[in-house]
Amino acid sequence: MIFKDIVNRDIVNLQNCEDEPIHIPGLIQSHGFLIAIDATTHIITVCSENINTFIDLTYEKLLGKKINQIFNAEFIDELFLNNEELPNQAKVFNFVINEKLFSICTHLSGNEIIIEGEPTENQFNESNILYNSSKQLLSYIEDSFTLKELANSVAIAIKKITHYDRVMIYRFDENYNGEVIAESKEGFLESFLGLHYPHTDIPVQARELYIKNHLRIIGDVNYTPIPLYTYTDSNLHTLDLSLSVLRSVSPIHIEYLHNIGVGATLTISLLHKGKLWGLITCHHYSAKYLSQEIRNTVKLHGHFITSQIDVRLLNEEYEIARKTNKAVEKLVNKELSLQRNSIELLFKDEAVINLCNSIGVSAIIGKEVYRLGKTPSIEDIKRLSSFLCHYSNNGSLTTQSLARISSDISVIANEFPGINYHSLGNDQDCIIWYRLQTITDIYWAGDPSKSIEKDKNGLSPRKSFEKFTESVKDSSKVWLKSEITASQNFVNFFVMHLRAILLNEEKENQRKLSEILKETNAELENINWISTHDLQEPLRKIRMMASMLVGDEKENLPENVQQKIIKMQNSAERMQTLISDILKYTKTTAQNSDFEDVNLNVLLNELNSELKDTLEENTATLDITSLPTIKGINFLLKQLFSNIIYNSLKFKSNKRIPHISIRESFEKDSILNSGNYYKIEIEDNGIGIDNQYSQKIFKIFSRLNDKNEFSGSGIGLALCKKIMTKHQGIISADGKIDYGVTIKIYFPKTN
């Protein structure tokens, strides 16, 4: 059998360290052993080179063997106990091998079960210490109020449990720069409390591993890495050690630890809402190992901190939240009129500034700009509003450093870096709260711009951790969650008040329009009266005189004069018809008759009798089949069908006898498919129309033919459209030139 190591030999330096595959080093720390077995066959596929140090067998003897050939039945039973229930969970148990106690940790990695063993023993009278520390967790809740107070209590407790020289609790910012918020240390050591560490100290892939594996221990930074071996037939090239407790450390990180003089470390992940919130980091200045029981207790303390994060942050903000809510409550309870001047009164109240602890506030409502406190100029407010409206997609935006968002508004950002912007949802209408610049000193553990140093040997992690002070000038105090919530609550109230003002203004406009409409209707009545009497009377006299001239005096008049008088008589008749049709058209809108049941069969039979002479004069036939009963206004419906029939007779074809049919149609279309309408079709065989004009024929005064060839006012079908609108129905036309037209009308089944 041929053996090979799976050590990752890619060259790693500070230029490519962010791409270093730290989860597959192919190496482990030297204080324990590692075996990997195939999850299906239980054959040992990977073994650490130092295995013989712990169980008197070399890796060559183990690789390719089944696990039950190496360990006794008791070990095998413990190894696979409950594995089916928790296949992806790490399992830890103590077991004696060759009369020595080991802490055994197992977990699944791909198709391999990884088994890690570390020699262990009872440390520091750990039973009593662990019991007492567990009891103390509850007392932390009573003895601490803020998150920093809680973190400080936990740091002290962990130092007592582990005996590390220094215990620190880090908190990350949004860019993963770390700040030491709590520390417990030996008296002779320099304090790191309050120092910041750049995000480059913990690269991205390391942060990802902290999320997967919540505890990381390096017992001796000067250890010699132990290679992992496999055999060629296993087809294994790498082994994912993301969850391994013995995984070897990146050489760059080892160099970093050497630079700060640390001999051993313990790191616990602090996760909050699925993200790496911070770390508990323990430093010892010589080699140090911990039992599994102590590690678990430290992890418990870490979980306790993360479980309290939201509660403690709320505690810290409680007093601020109380004041901001009081300011909002004062504004909400103000007695405001529904007039525009109430907005100005609202933005004269200091509570608008105090509700989120700002230095000033501005509001843009339409063309008006309201200001209170320290704000940019009106012109700059409009510029800022336009920018933030587009940048936030007409939403909201809160920042402590406006300059980091855009350099286009640097003049505003230099004086007012703190912005709390809320759109009011209408163009550029918005409310903006402002904060002035604050100069903040940040203390770094070494110059963050020199986190990588270059010397004769090339690039290396920084060697200097001397306190470095950085003054941040382009930002304001951070907007707290309670302040943002208070401003949002005020915005919600203000939007409702603004809508009430607009509704009140709309109501007033409606009242004025109603008065104008009454006056207009009164004038329309006067016009109707004039049309009915004053205009009709002269036309009747003109027609009467013309009739007398072409009647009694006809023989005494030249023929050309007779023709002119006849034309005058016809023009007067058309004028009289036009006036009559206009009156019908206007009355259709003004008519307020109630809807009633109308049997269309009865109505059409009556109309057929009334049109008998007209049909005979045109040698036309009219067929009426069974029709439904609908809700409508009887005389308007009679006018509707009368106009359509007259229109068919007017545009009859000289090539055939006029024929008109009226029927209920059940042929499906998009309207009839809804099931809410009756469909009536009036079909003729006249001259037809081009369908591109099928909508135009329903417009008032619209004509498709020469008025000298076809008489009429151009109102007939427009009146039909208006009648159908009044009945909440639909009318359309479908025609073909020289074949005829089908008028389709749809009446709602309930009205």
Side-chain angles (χ1 to χ4, degrees):
M1 184 178 290
I2 301 174
F3 305 100
K4 62 176 182 178
D5 67 57
I6 55 172
V7 176
N8 180 13
R9 290 184 171 82
D10 292 344
I11 297 174
V12 179
N13 54 48
L14 285 170
Q15 291 178 321
N16 66 358
C17 65
E18 289 192 354
D19 299 320
E20 181 185 1
I22 58 177
H23 62 299
I24 52 169
L27 299 164
I28 64 168
Q29 298 178 55
S30 58
H31 64 276
F33 67 86
L34 182 147
I35 294 172
I37 64 173
D38 185 287
T40 305
T41 64
H42 297 172
I43 291 174
I44 299 173
T45 55
V46 176
C47 186
S48 59
E49 186 183 53
N50 65 345
I51 187 72
N52 61 314
T53 307
F54 302 100
I55 63 172
D56 298 331
L57 287 173
T58 64
Y59 69 87
E60 294 96 340
K61 296 290 185 182
L62 270 68
L63 287 170
K65 300 283 196 317
K66 284 201 170 188
I67 189 70
N68 59 7
Q69 294 177 267
I70 307 301
F71 294 98
N72 61 28
E74 186 181 354
F75 181 90
I76 301 301
D77 290 343
E78 187 69 41
L79 179 66
F80 293 109
L81 183 66
N82 298 327
N83 267 16
E84 293 182 359
E85 296 178 15
L86 301 169
N88 296 318
Q89 297 290 321
K91 176 183 175 182
V92 179
F93 61 92
N94 288 344
F95 199 84
V96 176
I97 302 175
N98 294 342
E99 299 182 353
K100 189 166 186 177
L101 184 65
F102 284 84
S103 174
I104 306 296
C105 181
T106 70
H107 69 275
L108 189 65
S109 176
N111 193 47
E112 310 300 314
I113 298 174
I114 294 179
I115 305 166
E116 298 175 276
E118 299 175 80
T120 188
E121 60 184 6
N122 191 306
Q123 296 178 306
F124 328 127
N125 191 21
E126 66 183 31
S127 297
N128 290 332
I129 292 175
L130 300 184
Y131 174 74
N132 291 331
S133 69
S134 298
K135 284 174 58 179
Q136 281 185 328
L137 286 176
L138 295 177
S139 69
Y140 296 157
I141 297 177
E142 298 176 358
D143 297 340
S144 60
F145 182 77
T146 67
L147 189 59
K148 285 190 176 182
E149 289 173 354
L150 175 65
N152 189 61
S153 297
V154 171
I156 293 170
I158 290 177
K159 188 176 186 312
K160 286 181 180 178
I161 297 168
T162 62
H163 294 190
Y164 272 89
D165 292 331
R166 186 195 305 271
V167 176
M168 298 174 289
I169 297 181
Y170 285 87
R171 177 179 180 175
F172 293 123
D173 64 15
E174 65 274 11
N175 297 316
Y176 287 102
N177 299 308
E179 178 191 2
V180 181
I181 63 170
E183 179 187 51
S184 179
K185 65 179 183 64
E186 293 295 327
F188 64 88
L189 294 173
E190 177 188 0
S191 175
F192 291 167
L193 184 64
L195 291 184
H196 290 69
Y197 290 78
H199 65 91
T200 51
D201 282 5
I202 306 176
V204 175
Q205 71 272 40
R207 293 197 293 267
E208 290 176 353
L209 284 183
Y210 279 130
I211 293 174
K212 293 179 181 179
N213 194 348
H214 301 169
L215 184 143
R216 180 74 167 130
I217 188 167
I218 304 173
D220 183 357
V221 299
N222 296 309
Y223 75 91
T224 300
I226 304 299
L228 300 179
Y229 279 85
T230 186
Y231 56 96
T232 52
D233 293 341
S234 71
N235 294 321
L236 266 177
H237 303 288
T238 60
L239 184 64
D240 188 342
L241 299 179
S242 295
L243 302 181
S244 169
V245 294
L246 292 173
R247 173 171 49 85
S248 189
V249 186
S250 165
I252 294 175
H253 185 58
I254 291 293
E255 186 177 355
Y256 176 87
L257 295 176
H258 281 148
N259 290 347
I260 59 177
V262 172
T265 66
L266 171 69
T267 307
I268 305 296
S269 306
L270 299 178
L271 303 180
H272 181 237
K273 296 180 179 178
K275 294 183 178 180
L276 189 62
W277 181 88
L279 295 171
I280 299 175
T281 300
C282 306
H283 286 176
H284 206 66
Y285 292 88
S286 60
K288 186 173 186 61
Y289 301 96
L290 293 180
S291 70
Q292 190 64 49
E293 287 74 16
I294 291 179
R295 296 180 199 178
N296 290 340
T297 303
V298 175
K299 284 175 69 175
L300 180 63
H301 281 67
H303 292 324
F304 179 73
I305 289 180
T306 54
S307 71
Q308 291 288 304
I309 288 174
D310 286 333
V311 175
R312 302 301 161 143
L313 290 177
L314 287 174
N315 284 345
E316 292 174 11
E317 289 194 27
Y318 172 76
E319 186 59 25
I320 296 172
R322 188 185 65 80
K323 291 179 180 178
T324 57
N325 288 337
K326 187 176 180 181
V328 174
E329 188 177 344
K330 178 187 175 185
L331 294 166
V332 170
N333 291 330
K334 286 177 79 74
E335 293 185 3
L336 299 170
S337 68
L338 297 181
Q339 305 297 325
R340 289 273 173 170
N341 61 2
S342 66
I343 300 175
E344 187 175 355
L345 291 173
L346 196 60
F347 281 92
K348 285 182 178 179
D349 195 322
E350 292 287 334
V352 181
I353 294 177
N354 297 335
L355 67 87
C356 62
N357 297 312
S358 65
I359 198 69
V361 63
S362 67
I364 297 180
I365 315 295
K367 296 180 180 179
E368 295 295 325
V369 179
Y370 304 88
R371 295 191 295 167
L372 181 64
K374 291 186 178 180
T375 69
S377 66
I378 290 177
E379 184 179 337
D380 283 342
I381 288 172
K382 290 179 178 179
R383 282 181 56 221
L384 181 61
S385 168
S386 178
F387 167 77
L388 293 175
C389 176
H390 290 93
Y391 187 85
S392 69
N393 196 21
N394 213 17
S396 60
L397 180 141
T398 304
T399 179
Q400 68 184 101
S401 181
L402 183 60
R404 296 174 195 171
I405 294 176
S406 174
S407 58
D408 295 338
I409 45 178
S410 57
V411 175
I412 304 171
N414 289 340
E415 187 175 0
F416 300 98
I419 296 295
N420 183 7
Y421 165 85
H422 295 269
S423 169
L424 298 179
N426 183 27
D427 295 329
Q428 293 184 18
D429 288 3
C430 64
I431 300 177
I432 308 174
W433 284 271
Y434 304 91
R435 277 184 177 168
L436 296 175
Q437 176 178 263
T438 57
I439 299 176
T440 305
D441 287 337
I442 297 178
Y443 302 105
W444 295 91
D447 187 344
S449 65
K450 298 178 180 178
S451 58
I452 298 173
E453 296 182 358
K454 186 174 183 179
D455 55 26
K456 62 181 181 180
N457 297 318
L459 298 175
S460 66
R462 70 183 188 278
K463 297 180 177 65
S464 173
F465 292 85
E466 184 178 349
K467 183 186 287 188
F468 177 86
T469 304
E470 178 188 16
S471 293
V472 179
K473 299 179 180 180
D474 64 344
S475 62
S476 71
K477 184 182 175 184
V478 175
W479 299 93
L480 298 178
K481 184 178 179 180
S482 57
E483 295 167 338
I484 297 170
T485 301
S487 59
Q488 184 62 64
N489 289 340
F490 173 75
V491 168
N492 293 339
F493 154 74
F494 183 73
V495 167
M496 291 176 64
H497 179 64
L498 194 59
R499 285 176 182 169
I501 291 174
L502 294 174
L503 285 172
N504 188 57
E505 290 176 347
E506 183 66 23
K507 186 177 179 181
E508 181 63 19
N509 289 336
Q510 290 291 340
R511 186 187 64 78
K512 291 178 180 178
L513 287 173
S514 181
E515 290 179 359
I516 294 171
L517 186 60
K518 286 180 181 178
E519 293 174 3
T520 304
N521 285 337
E523 291 178 6
L524 186 59
E525 287 293 328
N526 290 335
I527 292 172
N528 287 343
W529 178 262
I530 293 170
S531 299
T532 306
H533 297 86
D534 296 2
L535 291 179
Q536 294 275 26
E537 186 60 27
L539 288 173
R540 277 195 293 270
K541 288 182 178 179
I542 291 171
R543 290 185 64 192
M544 183 181 69
M545 295 299 294
S547 180
M548 290 173 61
L549 287 172
V550 295
D552 299 339
E553 304 293 332
K554 183 177 180 180
E555 295 178 356
N556 300 326
L557 295 174
E559 187 174 343
N560 64 330
V561 174
Q562 291 182 36
Q563 291 297 324
K564 289 177 181 179
I565 293 172
I566 291 171
K567 285 183 179 180
M568 179 182 69
Q569 188 179 25
N570 291 338
S571 295
E573 186 177 351
R574 284 200 303 273
M575 184 66 177
Q576 207 165 13
T577 302
L578 177 60
I579 292 170
S580 176
D581 287 345
I582 289 174
L583 283 173
K584 291 176 185 176
Y585 187 81
T586 56
K587 283 181 179 179
T588 301
T589 303
Q591 184 58 246
N592 290 318
S593 302
D594 292 331
F595 285 86
E596 59 185 0
D597 288 334
V598 178
N599 188 323
L600 293 182
N601 294 299
V602 175
L603 185 143
L604 265 297
N605 286 331
E606 290 176 359
L607 188 59
N608 192 11
S609 298
E610 293 172 9
L611 298 176
K612 183 178 179 183
D613 293 340
T614 304
L615 291 168
E616 288 178 354
E617 288 174 10
N618 288 276
T619 63
T621 57
L622 175 63
D623 288 340
I624 303 168
T625 58
S626 179
L627 298 171
T629 297
I630 65 169
K631 288 282 188 181
I633 302 170
N634 194 79
F635 84 92
L636 287 179
L637 292 173
K638 185 174 283 189
Q639 185 73 53
L640 168 73
F641 285 101
S642 176
N643 282 11
I644 295 173
I645 292 170
Y646 271 116
N647 202 69
S648 294
L649 294 175
K650 183 195 302 184
F651 296 103
K652 64 185 178 181
S653 173
N654 295 326
K655 300 177 182 178
R656 47 193 168 268
I657 296 172
H659 178 73
I660 304 168
S661 67
I662 302 176
R663 61 183 178 272
E664 182 179 4
S665 173
F666 300 97
E667 184 180 347
K668 296 293 184 182
D669 57 28
S670 59
I671 300 173
L672 203 61
N673 283 342
S674 69
N676 298 324
Y677 291 90
Y678 296 109
K679 178 181 178 183
I680 312 296
E681 290 184 346
I682 302 97
E683 183 180 13
D684 65 42
N685 60 351
I687 63 172
I689 61 167
D690 189 329
N691 268 341
Q692 66 176 310
Y693 303 114
S694 61
Q695 296 298 321
K696 184 179 178 182
I697 62 174
F698 295 107
K699 294 181 180 179
I700 191 167
F701 302 130
S702 178
R703 302 177 63 94
L704 302 183
N705 308 93
D706 188 344
K707 66 179 180 179
N708 293 320
E709 185 179 356
F710 297 96
S711 62
S713 61
I715 292 178
L717 289 181
L719 179 59
C720 292
K721 173 85 171 179
K722 202 149 197 174
I723 292 171
M724 289 306 297
T725 300
K726 188 165 186 68
H727 284 77
Q728 299 175 27
I730 302 166
I731 186 168
S732 64
D734 183 22
K736 188 175 181 182
I737 293 176
D738 205 32
Y739 281 88
V741 175
T742 300
I743 301 293
K744 301 175 183 178
I745 52 180
Y746 299 83
F747 290 102
K749 289 187 175 180
T750 56
N751 199 318

